[in-house]
């Protein structure tokens, strides 16, 4: 099964599932919003890579109601959910059904975001994407990526995995939801270590790079182009 088909099949339960599947979901995305340094009345330009149903863009919109967004995802049915979510904001959203590995958007953007998507790429594709994101950002622009982290040793990888299973169950995920998550993980996930992900951001030219928040296998990565407008 192709990745777009696999995720299109999740649209009826994805939003509920992802809150159970991401350890520290509420805190992580609250911090992501805190990182945004722009005036709240700014009509910022935002590119959302692997946007899915638009959850991350919704959080940015809550802080920047005049923002203008481009949502890109290979899964058309997930973007249909996003269209419905943002139907009250005509003119502020554009939707692109495309693989962002081949999507070339000129920009410039104030903010590029991604959530639980880039780990599907190969390491070289991740590295190249960091360079491309840096290229479409304005000076002072931010790249915020919420994504999975591979344990640097086998023992830590097993710790991450076992902890994820325990937390997902305690968050109320059903065994069917967990089974589906595991199947997608085995089929599509190509996680990278924390060190590699930070290095690729630095190599791309980002001035300020950090993993601002980490909860076992989940991390909130920040890259700032040029001078941080804070």
């Amino acid at each position: 099964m192709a990745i777009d088909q696999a995720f299109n099949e999740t649209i009826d339960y994805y939003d509920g599932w992802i809150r159970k599947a991401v350890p520290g979901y509420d805190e992580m995305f609250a911090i992501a919003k805190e990182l945004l340094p722009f005036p709240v009345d700014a009509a910022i330009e935002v590119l959302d890579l692997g946007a899915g149903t638009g959850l991350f863009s919704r959080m940015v919109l809550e802080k920047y109601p005049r923002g203008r967004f481009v949502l890109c995802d290979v899964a058309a049915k997930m973007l249909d959910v996003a269209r419905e979510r943002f139907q009250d904001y005509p003119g502020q959203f554009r939707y692109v059904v495309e693989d962002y590995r081949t999507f070339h958007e000129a920009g410039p953007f104030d903010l590029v975001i991604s959530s639980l998507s880039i780990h599907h790429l190969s390491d070289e594709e991740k590295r190249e994407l960091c360079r491309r994101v840096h290229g479409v950002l304005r000076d002072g622009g931010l790249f915020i990526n919420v994504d999975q982290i591979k344990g640097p040793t086998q023992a830590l990888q097993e710790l991450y995995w076992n902890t994820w299973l325990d937390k997902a169950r305690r968050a109320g995920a059903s065994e069917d939801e967990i089974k589906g998550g595991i199947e997608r993980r085995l089929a599509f996930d190509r996680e990278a270590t924390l060190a590699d992900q930070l290095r690729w951001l630095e190599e791309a030219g980002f001035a300020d790079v950090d993993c601002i928040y980490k909860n076992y296998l989940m991390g909130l990565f920040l890259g700032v182009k040029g001078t941080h407008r804070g």
Side-chain angles (χ1 to χ4, degrees):
M1 183 185 296
I3 191 169
D4 57 336
Q5 182 182 354
F7 280 90
N8 279 332
E9 291 183 357
T10 71
I11 59 171
D12 291 336
Y13 64 87
Y14 181 85
D15 286 3
W17 154 250
I18 207 66
R19 297 182 70 92
K20 305 167 191 172
V22 176
Y25 180 96
D26 289 333
E27 184 176 19
M28 184 177 299
F29 282 96
I31 293 171
K33 287 174 68 174
E34 289 174 2
L35 290 172
L36 302 177
F38 315 103
V40 294
D41 61 346
I44 62 172
E45 301 280 352
V46 183
L47 173 62
D48 189 344
L49 298 174
T53 64
L55 288 175
F56 202 173
S57 283
R58 183 193 66 186
M59 296 175 194
V60 177
L61 180 67
E62 288 170 353
K63 187 170 182 177
Y64 298 100
R66 297 181 61 228
R68 294 188 292 267
F69 296 76
V70 177
L71 276 60
C72 180
D73 201 289
V74 72
K77 290 182 179 179
M78 296 196 85
L79 282 182
D80 286 341
V81 176
R83 285 188 181 92
E84 184 175 353
R85 186 189 303 280
F86 301 120
Q87 62 183 334
D88 293 335
Y89 298 88
Q92 289 181 242
F93 285 83
R94 182 159 62 89
Y95 306 91
V96 180
V97 181
E98 192 171 338
D99 186 334
Y100 57 74
R101 291 175 296 183
T102 58
F103 174 54
H104 294 281
E105 181 71 24
F109 294 94
D110 301 290
L111 174 66
V112 178
I113 59 175
S114 187
S115 173
L116 302 167
S117 177
I118 295 174
H119 65 274
H120 296 136
L121 308 185
S122 70
D123 285 357
E124 183 52 42
E125 288 168 338
K126 295 183 186 81
R127 183 183 292 112
E128 174 60 23
L129 183 66
C130 288
R131 290 194 288 263
R132 288 175 53 203
V133 168
H134 185 270
V136 300
L137 281 169
R138 292 187 172 95
D139 186 55
L142 274 64
F143 178 30
I144 297 180
N145 178 32
V146 174
D147 212 354
Q148 296 175 198
I149 297 170
K150 180 181 179 181
T153 67
Q154 184 60 35
L156 286 171
Q157 182 69 356
E158 291 176 3
L159 173 66
Y160 289 1
W161 177 248
N162 291 333
T163 302
W164 175 80
L165 282 172
D166 179 62
K167 289 186 177 224
R169 288 186 174 115
R170 286 194 283 116
S174 70
E175 290 305 312
D176 283 344
E177 287 176 323
I178 291 172
K179 180 176 180 289
I182 292 172
E183 289 173 351
R184 290 189 298 274
R185 179 179 180 132
L186 293 175
F188 304 117
D189 289 8
R190 291 184 276 182
E191 299 160 330
T193 65
L194 175 65
D196 282 343
Q197 295 187 64
L198 292 174
R199 177 168 53 84
W200 296 332
L201 290 169
E202 291 171 347
E203 289 175 351
F206 287 96
D208 298 312
V209 169
D210 200 4
C211 179
I212 300 294
Y213 176 98
K214 183 175 181 294
N215 191 321
Y216 292 93
L217 81 168
M218 293 293 174
L220 168 58
F221 294 89
L222 171 68
V224 183
K225 181 174 181 177
T227 303
H228 192 164
R229 292 178 293 185

